[in-house]
Amino acid sequence: MPEEESVPVLVVVKSPKAGPLAHLGVDLPTMIPIGESHNPSRALFKIRTDRVVAGRSPECDVLLDHITVSRNHFAIRKAPEGYFISDLGSTCGTIVNDKEARSEVLLKNGDNIKAGKFTLLFTWK
């Protein structure tokens, strides 16, 4: 059986709402709930396209539904050098490893991303 190719993922490790993450939109095809299917405790978003947008808008690839998150909060784009994150003019900013991302930041495995009250982990799965 061939091994599936490793892909970058965003794992929601901290959410503003305690308990289930149903507010993340578990029906999104890019999201895989971790934990009970009807009551996930974490969520994993696979990055399968050259650009993904995270935010509160239902049109976002990564839906983070909370008032502290801008409608289009940040984007991650694939480049020959790796994956870059950039803030999209969000109200609260995008924080990577406790530093504000004022311009594009090259993401590394294990980087922590904060958007509003959410903390996400950039890693490979």
Side-chain angles (χ1 to χ4, degrees), residues 13 95-98 108 110-114 119-122:
V13 294
I95 311 297
V96 178
N97 297 329
D98 297 321
K108 298 177 295 307
D111 280 350
N112 281 297
I113 301 164
K114 291 183 183 174
T119 301
L120 301 100
L121 173 71
F122 178 81

Side-chain angles (χ1 to χ4, degrees), residues 45-114:
F45 294 89
K46 289 186 177 183
I47 300 173
R48 295 189 182 269
T49 59
D50 289 344
R51 185 173 188 267
V52 297
V53 175
R56 193 175 35 138
S57 171
E59 288 81 34
C60 286
D61 304 298
V62 177
L63 181 61
L64 303 173
D65 191 17
H66 191 264
I67 193 70
T68 60
V69 177
S70 294
R71 290 175 87 45
N72 295 295
H73 201 99
F74 67 81
I76 295 176
R77 74 170 179 89
K78 183 179 180 179
E81 305 84 7
Y83 287 83
F84 287 85
I85 187 169
S86 58
D87 185 77
L88 298 175
S90 67
T91 304
C92 298
T94 300
I95 311 297
V96 178
N97 297 329
D98 297 321
K99 293 182 181 176
E100 189 171 357
R102 296 182 188 270
S103 60
E104 279 196 324
V105 175
L106 178 62
L107 291 170
K108 298 177 295 307
N109 188 37
D111 280 350
N112 281 297
I113 301 164
K114 291 183 183 174

Side-chain angles (χ1 to χ4, degrees), residues 14-24 41 65-67 117-118:
K14 183 178 176 191
S15 169
K17 297 181 182 180
L21 297 179
H23 61 286
L24 288 174
S41 58
D65 191 17
H66 191 264
I67 193 70
K117 300 269 185 187
F118 286 91

